Every structure is written in C-alpha cells, then in structure tokens.
Amino acid sequence: MAEVVIVENAAAAGELVAESLRSLIEARPDAVLGLATGSTPLPVYSALAASVHRTPLDVTLVRGFALDEYVGLPEGHPQSYRAVITRDVVEPIGLTPQNIQVPNGNLETIESAGRDYEQAILDAGGVDVQILGIGRTGHIGFNEPGSSFASLTRVKTLTEETRADNARFFSSPDDVPMHCITQGLGTIRRARHLVLLAFGEAKADAVAAAVEGPMTASAPGSAIQLHPHVTVVIDEAAASRLANLDYYRHAWANKPAWQGI
Ligand code: PGA
C-alpha cells in the first residue's frame, strides 16, 4: 500500500520531500533522481535548493532523469522540459548540467530516442527516487489513460485536456505540442522509490483513482499500486475523495521514528 501523507500545504510537502532527498544524497552523493516537471514538484526543488544553501551539501555528483519532454520544440525553447529542468532544478540546486538527462524530443532522432533513454537509465543503475505529479486525466509522466503498465519510454499523443492544462505555459493553446516522449509506466515502476505529490481539489479524483481505485490502464496513476515503496504527499483538498483517510492519518501519526518516508 502507498504511504499517504496529508500535509497542510504545498510548502510543507516540499520540505518533507526535500529533507528525504537530502538524506539520500548525504548517504549516496551520486544518487539518481527522477525529476518531474509541472507546477506540483516546484516546492520540492525550491526547498532542496534552500536546504543546500543553508547547510552546504555537495550535489555535484547527483544524477537526474526527467520524466518526459515535448516532441518537436526547437532546441532551447523556454517551455521545453530541458529548459524547465535547467531553470527550476539544475540551476537553483546547483546540480551538474551534464549529469541531468531529459528525453530527446528532437524529431530527427525520435525513433530511437525512447530506447536510448531507457539504456541511459539502466547504465546509471536505475532511479533511486522518482518524483511524480499527477494530471487531471490521471496521467503520471505523460502516460495518458490507456497506457500499458509495462510501457517504456516512447512517443505519446497528449490528450486535449492535458494540452489545455499546459496551455498556460505557452502563448497560445495551439502552440502546445501534440506529441511528447515520456518514460513509460514500466519505466517509472522500476524506480526504487516513488514519491507522488498532488495539491488542490482538481486532483482529488485522480489521486483517489491512483491510490484506491481499481488498477487499470484507464487510470495510469493506479500503476503505483504495483510498487512496493510509494509515498503519496498531498494536501487536504487533493485527499478529499480518499475513503481510507482516517487510516492514513493514523498510520502517519504512529510511524516508527526510525523509518523515513
Ligand atoms: P501540474 O501537472 O503539476 O502542473 O499540475 C501535473 C502533471 O500533469 O503531471
């Protein structure tokens, strides 16, 4: 079962997860982080950056793999996930840019890009902690409903709902790419620890489907139920449709002190 932690707000979630990432990096300076984009994980990255500046920590060996990328954006496009990860994660935390990989959405090499990315993750020894957001469609990464639980990194077509959600980052909704390249649900499930974050009422149905719903490709987030180590960090609004809320609170309140998330 996923451990469900209900926090007061996104900032508290950021602190909690950043502290866990810090401990991981202290123990394993070349830890491999799985990096999500979108608004949800930003508090984690800013809390980790603040922690690293407050109490210095060598993060130069840390490695990272982004979950996904748009296909066909010109190189250097400010909304490409390569640019977003550089701006929101690499620079503030002080990671080494060459250690951070993002799926290659360049059309010229797109046919082999998925395979190459899988190989790079394997070569790195796999992902230690995968940070995840969840879309209103229930997607994790860009694995839209219908994605196989065994899927690996490949090109997907975005749903119109996801394109509309992401239109806020582009000057016009039509500018949101139609295709993306995303780690598959099978790729994500190979990470050693999954940390899924969600905030706000708009995510409540997707969270309930992921944590408590039937496992189905129609709710890609429900793939987390197959994973032995999952932490779901959510606010009250995102938790509002969970049936076993009392139990999650009880388990968290009585968590053994020696156990991290
Ligand atoms: P968001 O996106 O964090 O911007 O809400 C989450 C997602 O689409 O996975």
Side-chain angles (χ1 to χ4, degrees):
M1 183 197 102
E3 173 170 57
V4 179
V5 186
I6 295 127
V7 291
E8 204 177 325
N9 52 37
E15 293 293 337
L16 180 76
V17 177
E19 196 182 310
S20 160
L21 295 179
R22 184 179 179 109
S23 304
L24 170 71
I25 298 164
E26 280 167 355
R28 187 152 147 53
D30 64 345
V32 181
L33 308 183
L35 303 166
T37 47
S39 308
T40 306
L42 293 176
V44 173
Y45 305 139
S46 55
L48 183 58
S51 166
V52 164
H53 292 121
R54 207 167 41 235
T55 313
L57 172 70
D58 184 2
V59 294
T60 55
L61 297 179
V62 169
R63 294 165 294 164
F65 288 91
L67 269 177
D68 42 23
E69 176 60 289
Y70 292 114
V71 168
L73 286 182
E75 200 174 322
H77 189 289
Q79 291 311 326
S80 70
Y81 284 172
R82 163 62 76 186
V84 170
I85 289 275
T86 301
R87 205 163 53 228
D88 293 342
V89 186
V90 175
E91 287 172 353
I93 300 173
L95 303 177
T96 305
Q98 302 86 291
N99 291 350
I100 309 304
Q101 303 206 39
V102 179
N104 186 352
N106 187 322
L107 278 169
E108 279 171 29
T109 48
I110 200 67
E111 282 184 42
S112 57
R115 245 183 351 263
D116 293 348
Y117 203 62
E118 289 293 323
Q119 191 59 49
I121 295 174
L122 289 175
D123 291 347
V127 170
D128 289 310
V129 181
Q130 177 63 58
I131 308 290
L132 296 168
I134 187 163
R136 287 190 303 139
T137 63
H139 70 208
I140 54 176
F142 271 143
N143 294 282
E144 300 286 22
S147 295
S148 161
F149 281 16
S151 51
L152 301 178
T153 306
R154 74 245 183 265
V155 172
K156 289 286 289 181
T157 306
L158 295 171
T159 61
E160 284 304 299
E161 197 174 0
T162 297
R163 289 184 74 226
D165 281 347
N166 289 6
R168 67 191 193 277
F169 298 115
F170 290 83
S171 26
S172 128
D174 291 342
D175 290 349
V176 183
M178 192 65 76
H179 297 105
C180 63
I181 173 165
T182 180
Q183 286 190 30
L185 296 174
T187 320
I188 292 168
R189 285 175 44 210
R190 285 184 191 152
R192 288 180 274 279
H193 180 198
L194 304 182
V195 177
L196 187 148
L197 300 115
F199 311 116
E201 162 87 34
K203 300 292 177 72
D205 284 331
V207 167
V211 176
E212 294 180 341
M215 272 197 296
T216 164
S218 300
S222 67
I224 65 171
Q225 295 176 35
L226 289 169
H227 196 285
H229 187 189
V230 183
T231 311
V232 175
V233 186
I234 49 183
D235 65 4
E236 294 281 351
S240 58
R241 312 259 152 77
L242 289 170
N244 294 326
L245 212 43
D246 290 346
Y247 176 65
Y248 306 138
R249 290 191 211 280
H250 174 72
W252 179 248
N254 292 289
K255 192 176 170 72
W258 52 267
Q259 228 179 26
I261 61 168

